[in-house]
Amino acid sequence: MAERSLHRTAGAPPDVRVPLLIRFGSHAWLLPALLYGTIMLIGLCTPPSVQMGNWLVLVPFVAAAVCSPAATAALGVLVVATNRLVNATWPTAHLRPEDFALEIAAVLVATVVAALRVQARDYTERVQSAAKATRQVVLRPVPPGWGGVDSAARYLAANVEAQVGGDFYDVVDSPHGARVLLGDVQGKGLPAVSTAASLVGTFREVGWHEADLATVAARLEHRLGRQNRLQAQLGETEERFATAVVIAFPHDGSSHIDMLNFGHEGPLVIGGREAGVRRLPQEQGPPLGMAELAGGLPSVRRVALGRDETVLLVTDGVTEARDRAGEFFPLRRWLEGVAADHPAGIAPAALLPLLVEAVLNHTDGHLSDDAALLAVRVASAEGIGTSAGGAGTSAEDAGPPAGGAGAAT
């Protein structure tokens, strides 16, 4: 049975694709028990035969795939006892001694297989726990109303075992307004995760202190350069770069946002039925880590934004998600349909669950790359409360708590 990848967002309602057999949990023994009952029923309705008795050997092997070693062994003993009973009751069954030896060997093999499967499952769970702990450093939860914006985020892992990659995001509540970051580090593995963590940690500190986004850009660029030098001293031969978008929402309620784009695909703005969907400036500057080679950092762009418009930022795990036929996920066309269905606009907390479900349906639950999604819009006046840097309203948590160094509150 084919298993779909598990895509879980920690701290959020589970929008995961769980393998069918895992859903049974402690009731998994019902499947081999049902097989046993079916074979017995057929055997009672037909003349006793060696072939029907030997079909029972399938029961412990099915149990090995879904049950614990103890349950597998118990079902195996039941199969051997049943065949012994059949042989004693119906001498015409003609079960030979080697048939019983084969059954016993099958039960022993099935029990060993069940034990190995349980060990593999436990190992995978330990790897997942370690990956979640690592991800906590990069992807912390966003409190409700953080920075006076409504926000929602999701992280979809392409690798069910790792559940962590170089995609990153954050929302910082600063005295200058909410600062939003989303990006993707080139490459995979722990070096990419380490680079993402360093950039997020720097952003949490600099985004809070610095009023000028150009200074924020320079500090991020400098941080990635130092990170690459550190990795080189540790034996890493490949320099990393990262595409990213930084957006600043002013606290004064102005109908605009300031943004920096470091070689990333431009965010999409979703308005109501009349406004539709539009794309913000994209790829206006080189990726982080390449400014010196490409002629400098990107300039700050100011863009108008209505209070009912939601900004959606995603990494290429979404835009390059393919279906079985190799077709990319039609993100903009899908968003245009959402805008048409929500004439007054759609909140981030309502948008992202719909988008995650659409992406997973498009790919049948199998992403080829990790994906980070972040949706943000200006908070409604009645939802604004007080926080460390100013105002706040509802936001959807996208990851377990993180205590990364340099996190500013």
Side-chain angles (χ1 to χ4, degrees):
M1 178 178 293
E3 295 185 356
R4 292 181 173 182
S5 298
L6 299 179
H7 301 289
R8 184 178 180 87
T9 301
D15 41 29
V16 300
R17 305 303 178 91
V18 181
L20 178 61
L21 296 180
I22 294 178
R23 298 178 192 172
F24 289 111
S26 60
H27 302 291
W29 62 271
L30 290 172
L31 185 59
L34 178 62
L35 176 62
Y36 173 84
T38 302
I39 294 174
M40 290 298 297
L41 181 62
I42 295 175
L44 291 174
C45 297
T46 58
S49 67
V50 173
Q51 291 79 9
M52 188 55 64
N54 287 344
W55 274 105
L56 287 173
V57 176
L58 289 175
V59 173
F61 283 108
V62 172
V66 295
C67 297
S68 67
T72 301
L75 287 166
V77 170
L78 177 64
V79 165
V80 173
T82 299
N83 270 350
R84 294 290 294 179
L85 179 63
V86 168
N87 191 53
T89 306
W90 290 285
T92 55
H94 300 300
L95 290 175
R96 299 167 298 178
E98 52 265 34
D99 294 326
F100 293 113
L102 178 62
E103 291 169 1
I104 293 173
V107 171
L108 293 175
V109 170
T111 304
V112 171
V113 169
L116 294 176
R117 180 186 57 80
V118 170
Q119 287 182 0
R121 182 199 63 193
D122 293 342
Y123 171 76
T124 299
E125 290 178 351
R126 289 195 298 271
V127 171
Q128 289 175 337
S129 297
K132 289 176 182 178
T134 302
R135 193 168 66 187
Q136 289 176 5
V137 178
V138 183
L139 306 178
R140 65 178 181 181
V142 181
W146 203 232
V149 294
D150 291 322
S151 64
R154 292 286 190 274
Y155 184 93
L156 304 181
N159 188 324
V160 60
E161 285 80 16
Q163 291 196 345
V164 67
D167 297 37
F168 57 92
Y169 56 78
D170 203 3
V171 178
V172 172
D173 180 15
S174 81
H176 321 289
R179 301 290 176 78
V180 175
L181 169 71
L182 180 135
D184 185 6
V185 176
Q186 168 263 338
K188 296 182 181 296
L190 287 179
V193 176
S194 177
T195 300
S198 68
L199 288 173
V200 170
T202 300
F203 178 74
R204 291 169 183 168
E205 186 70 20
V206 179
W208 196 90
H209 285 287
E210 301 293 342
D212 185 8
L213 278 191
T215 304
V216 174
R219 293 285 296 274
L220 289 173
E221 176 71 20
H222 181 65
R223 182 66 183 90
L224 187 50
R226 290 192 293 124
Q227 179 70 17
N228 279 331
R229 289 194 294 274
L230 172 64
Q231 295 289 359
Q233 291 296 317
L234 295 174
E236 178 70 23
T237 59
E238 184 178 10
E239 288 194 357
R240 304 282 168 174
F241 63 86
T243 63
V245 176
V246 176
I247 296 178
F249 288 79
H251 265 325
D252 58 10
S254 303
S255 58
H256 70 268
I257 55 175
D258 293 327
M259 68 172 292
L260 291 162
N261 192 314
F262 301 92
H264 200 80
E265 187 169 1
L268 291 164
V269 176
I270 305 95
R273 183 176 299 168
E274 298 298 328
V277 178
R278 59 189 172 94
R279 186 178 294 279
L280 298 183
Q282 64 176 342
E283 300 175 357
Q284 58 184 148
L288 288 166
M290 301 184 68
E292 186 176 345
L293 298 176
L297 295 166
S299 58
V300 180
R301 297 285 297 271
R302 177 157 291 186
V303 181
L305 184 71
R307 297 191 67 87
D308 62 343
E309 291 185 313
T310 295
V311 182
L312 175 67
L313 304 94
V314 300
T315 57
D316 56 10
V318 174
T319 55
E320 296 181 5
R322 296 174 182 264
D323 61 12
R324 292 177 180 265
E327 297 293 329
F328 290 116
F329 177 69
L331 177 60
R332 181 158 187 167
R333 187 168 74 243
W334 183 88
L335 290 173
E336 288 171 348
V338 171
D341 293 337
H342 297 80
I346 183 169
L351 173 63
L352 278 203
L354 295 176
L355 178 54
V356 167
E357 184 65 23
V359 171
L360 293 180
N361 284 338
H362 181 78
T363 61
D364 196 29
H366 296 280
L367 291 179
S368 59
D369 194 7
D370 294 349
L373 307 88
L374 177 63
V376 190
R377 78 171 179 181
V378 178
S380 57
E382 60 272 15
I384 295 178
T386 302
S387 62
T393 187
S394 64
E396 186 160 358
D397 189 351
T409 57

